[in-house]
Amino acid sequence: MKKSGLNMQFNNLAEFIEHGLDKFAHLPAFNCLGQTLTFAEVEEKSRHLAQWLQHEAGLERGDRIAIQLPNISQYPIAAYAALRAGLVIVNTNPLYTPREMQHQFSDSGARALVILADFLEKFEAIKADTDIERVLVTGAADLLGNPVDAPGGYHGLVDAIGRGGELPSIEKSTAVREDISVLQYTGGTTGVAKGASLTHANLLANAAQMLERISQRGNEGEEIFVCPLPLYHIYAFTVNVLALFSMGTMNVLIPNPRDLDGLVRAIKPFRFTGMAGINTLFTGLCRHQEFKALDFSSLKMTFSGGTALTTSAAELWQSVTGCTVTEGWGLSETSPVITLNEFDREEIGTVGTPLAETEVQVWDEQGRQVAPGESGELVVRGPQVMAGYWQRPEATAEVLRDGFFRTGDVGLVQDNGNVRIVDRLKDMIIVSGFNVYPNEVEDVLCRHPQIIEAAVVGSPSEQTGEAVNAHLVVEGELDQAAIVDFCREQLTAYKVPKHIHFHSELPKSTVGKILRRELRSTPA
């Protein structure tokens, strides 16, 4: 395949970022809470902060800095400053408990932290058990002229970025492409969270790979992208903070995507051209009356990833907005994007074709390639695959083999080249020796006009080994027998849910992804 020029143009992410800040200086870069910052303003603020990190905080090349912020403009400022200062970003979920924070900060050896003032109490509880020496505190309204007061021993982010006057000089990052740029923690649901070591080369490659696809539909300096997915997750980090930013896009940051009223108010002033989301967000918005009244005439790109796109969600989104949903697939360990559907050739139920320079194979349990069209574990090789797990050589050896990363996803490659994800290996349910994949059952359930959300998990069964359990959010009254009859029309008998549970809402992650693991403890 043809190699992307952007992939090799820069030595590190600092050069990549500074190129974009300079090229699009006059254009709007980020909008949040009613305030818009230009690329020039982001350059100035991130420059001041980078200088503070280098000279006042005393941080050196390769030191880790944790960023624990929601989608507010301070996030990209802090991320760009960290990379320009030659540091390694440790992306941290703002909703982490003190225990989760302590593990991630200690495991990464972070020396500095940028944190929202609201979460400072949690950090106070564990700071003695970390190596963090410098803490920058910010409030959501800091850049709106209402900065928070940093408690004693801490530093206000506004003080570091809002000095004005002459722009300080900063020492250019000397990081090389093979250096780690981001530690993205993953795997907390199956054991101790591990830091995926993503190098400058990994993220430069994935940004270039995505730009190659996005540029088929988007234009430099003309796009407005709604960003409800959290920037501390690697998808929005790579796609919004890096790729879209580098083509002069304005990102409209949504601090709390669960507040649909607030989301709609935030995007109403804009003729937005793109957005990314997942099933629950798509369906929630399409049932929101004010959202349905918006002007979608400019919307030309909608991306989905992170969880399987259901047919019903894709069809509902297209009927309301007139825009198709383009589904992709990726993982934290792959920076993250591996595959993406082609614009105007989207095939619902697939995650599209591999990105440039990316090879996807299907392996059996012995690590051998299966016959074409057969399913097995999907493995991937490409420039976006991580260097390994941070300080965990044994865990790295388990997932990396001959340059291929074992994803833990079950799937197949169709004759047309599109990859179809069947499910996660760990989520598979075995009924009387037959494999049942929750994604398939959930997709069928969500086709019922009264079922808003569905999650399928397995539970122990004396008769069949495991039984299929469906957890549903429904509209109006719906009889269990009617649901079973509906499923029997479209599913083989062993796939039909044995137990059905109704909920007012399903447990979800911060991005709205349904958490199957929390439903497994529900009695059958």
Side-chain angles (χ1 to χ4, degrees):
M1 283 186 176
K2 177 184 173 184
K3 286 190 176 290
S4 170
L6 183 60
N7 188 11
M8 303 303 295
Q9 185 180 347
F10 303 99
N11 293 311
N12 55 48
L13 285 170
E15 292 181 5
F16 174 81
I17 289 161
E18 288 166 351
H19 179 265
L21 290 170
D22 179 65
K23 182 176 182 179
F24 302 108
H26 63 290
L27 293 178
F30 295 97
N31 174 277
C32 187
L33 302 175
Q35 179 193 50
T36 298
L37 296 179
T38 65
F39 281 77
E41 289 170 322
V42 173
E43 196 285 329
E44 177 184 343
K45 294 179 188 303
S46 65
R47 175 181 288 271
H48 276 294
L49 183 53
Q51 196 268 351
W52 188 92
L53 294 171
Q54 287 179 333
H55 298 285
E56 297 197 30
L59 299 175
E60 299 175 351
R61 170 181 165 178
D63 281 344
R64 274 76 65 201
I65 179 170
I67 301 178
Q68 191 171 16
L69 298 175
N71 281 18
I72 54 178
S73 296
Q74 292 93 312
Y75 181 93
I77 291 169
Y80 297 153
L83 293 168
R84 296 178 77 181
L87 308 179
V88 176
I89 294 171
V90 181
N91 274 320
T92 305
N93 187 333
L95 299 184
Y96 267 176
T97 64
R99 179 191 64 80
E100 292 166 319
M101 291 166 64
Q102 191 274 329
H103 166 71
Q104 189 165 312
F105 297 162
S106 298
D107 187 75
S108 65
R111 289 187 58 201
L113 168 67
V114 182
I115 189 170
L116 197 71
D118 306 53
F119 313 131
L120 202 52
E121 186 176 341
K122 293 191 292 185
F123 174 68
E124 289 274 358
I126 52 94
K127 68 177 181 180
D129 298 318
T130 74
D131 297 323
I132 290 176
E133 305 162 9
R134 300 280 188 168
V135 178
L136 283 162
V137 182
T138 188
D142 266 10
L143 302 184
L144 303 176
N146 188 26
V148 297
D149 292 323
Y154 298 107
H155 308 273
L157 184 68
V158 166
D159 293 336
I161 66 176
R163 302 172 194 177
E166 219 175 288
L167 285 178
S169 60
I170 56 176
E171 298 166 22
K172 291 285 187 181
S173 171
T174 56
V176 297
R177 296 173 60 82
E178 292 73 28
D179 286 344
I180 298 170
S181 61
V182 172
L183 287 180
Q184 192 71 32
Y185 277 76
T186 183
T189 60
T190 55
V192 176
K194 305 176 289 293
S197 298
L198 304 179
T199 66
H200 289 267
N202 290 154
L203 289 167
L204 285 167
N206 206 226
Q209 291 166 320
M210 281 299 292
L211 280 170
E212 185 174 72
R213 294 289 183 93
I214 293 171
S215 62
Q216 296 170 14
R217 179 63 54 88
N219 301 305
E220 272 198 356
E222 296 180 11
E223 308 304 328
I224 300 174
F225 236 82
V226 179
C227 182
L229 300 182
L231 300 176
Y232 56 80
H233 277 200
I234 195 61
Y235 178 84
F237 184 90
T238 298
V239 175
N240 296 86
V241 176
L242 297 179
L244 289 168
F245 157 86
S246 74
M247 58 182 286
T249 299
M250 181 173 81
N251 282 289
V252 181
L253 304 181
I254 307 299
N256 179 15
R258 291 192 175 192
D259 175 10
L260 296 184
D261 292 339
L263 191 161
V264 173
R265 283 196 301 272
I267 65 178
K268 190 175 182 178
F270 303 103
R271 296 187 64 180
F272 51 94
T273 61
M275 181 175 172
I278 60 175
N279 287 319
T280 50
L281 183 61
F282 295 144
T283 55
L285 285 174
C286 288
R287 294 173 183 273
H288 193 286
Q289 292 304 315
E290 290 187 33
F291 178 79
K292 291 195 285 188
L294 295 180
D295 179 3
F296 301 108
S297 60
S298 298
L299 182 62
K300 55 187 177 180
M301 290 177 279
T302 303
F303 295 119
S304 173
T307 186
L309 176 68
T310 61
T311 303
S312 58
E315 291 176 348
L316 180 61
W317 182 262
Q318 186 171 1
S319 69
V320 170
T321 69
C323 183
T324 56
V325 181
T326 306
E327 187 177 9
W329 168 57
L331 301 97
S332 296
E333 293 92 340
T334 57
S335 303
V337 189
I338 301 169
T339 66
L340 186 67
N341 266 271
E342 301 277 351
F343 290 123
D344 298 325
R345 292 203 299 254
E346 290 90 352
E347 182 182 359
I348 302 301
T350 79
V351 292
T353 56
L355 299 182
E357 305 170 46
T358 302
E359 182 182 1
V360 173
Q361 292 185 4
V362 185
W363 288 1
D364 63 17
E365 293 178 357
Q366 286 72 46
R368 300 171 302 201
Q369 256 189 289
V370 304
E374 290 187 7
S375 63
E377 183 180 10
L378 294 167
V379 300
V380 58
R381 181 165 59 186
Q384 71 271 54
V385 173
M386 68 172 182
Y389 291 120
W390 173 253
Q391 297 183 336
R392 294 181 186 273
E394 291 182 2
T396 299
E398 288 176 7
V399 297
L400 288 178
R401 175 180 160 188
D402 299 327
F404 281 96
F405 172 69
R406 304 186 67 158
T407 68
D409 283 327
V410 179
L412 55 89
V413 180
Q414 300 179 164
D415 291 341
N416 63 1
N418 281 349
V419 174
R420 182 179 294 274
I421 306 290
V422 179
D423 225 308
R424 292 289 293 169
L425 276 173
K426 64 182 178 64
D427 288 339
M428 186 174 69
I429 305 165
I430 302 178
V431 179
S432 299
F434 294 100
N435 294 347
V436 177
Y437 295 102
N439 282 348
E440 179 188 9
V441 183
E442 290 167 0
D443 188 71
V444 167
L445 285 164
C446 286
R447 292 177 190 175
H448 191 289
Q450 286 181 258
I451 295 178
I452 300 172
E453 293 177 353
V456 170
V457 297
S459 66
S461 168
E462 291 185 5
Q463 291 77 30
T464 58
E466 283 188 288
V468 179
N469 288 263
H471 296 264
L472 309 175
V473 175
V474 301
E475 194 171 49
E477 296 294 325
L478 189 56
D479 182 71
Q480 290 195 25
I483 296 170
V484 171
D485 289 342
F486 179 80
C487 289
R488 281 178 176 156
E489 293 176 4
Q490 304 178 63
L491 293 168
T492 306
Y494 65 84
K495 298 179 183 179
V496 174
K498 185 74 172 176
H499 308 286
I500 295 174
H501 308 266
F502 295 103
H503 302 260
S504 58
E505 62 178 342
L506 297 178
K508 297 184 181 72
S509 70
T510 52
V511 298
K513 184 177 181 179
I514 295 171
L515 300 174
R516 289 175 180 161
R517 68 178 182 272
E518 293 192 13
L519 296 169
R520 292 193 182 99
S521 59
T522 303

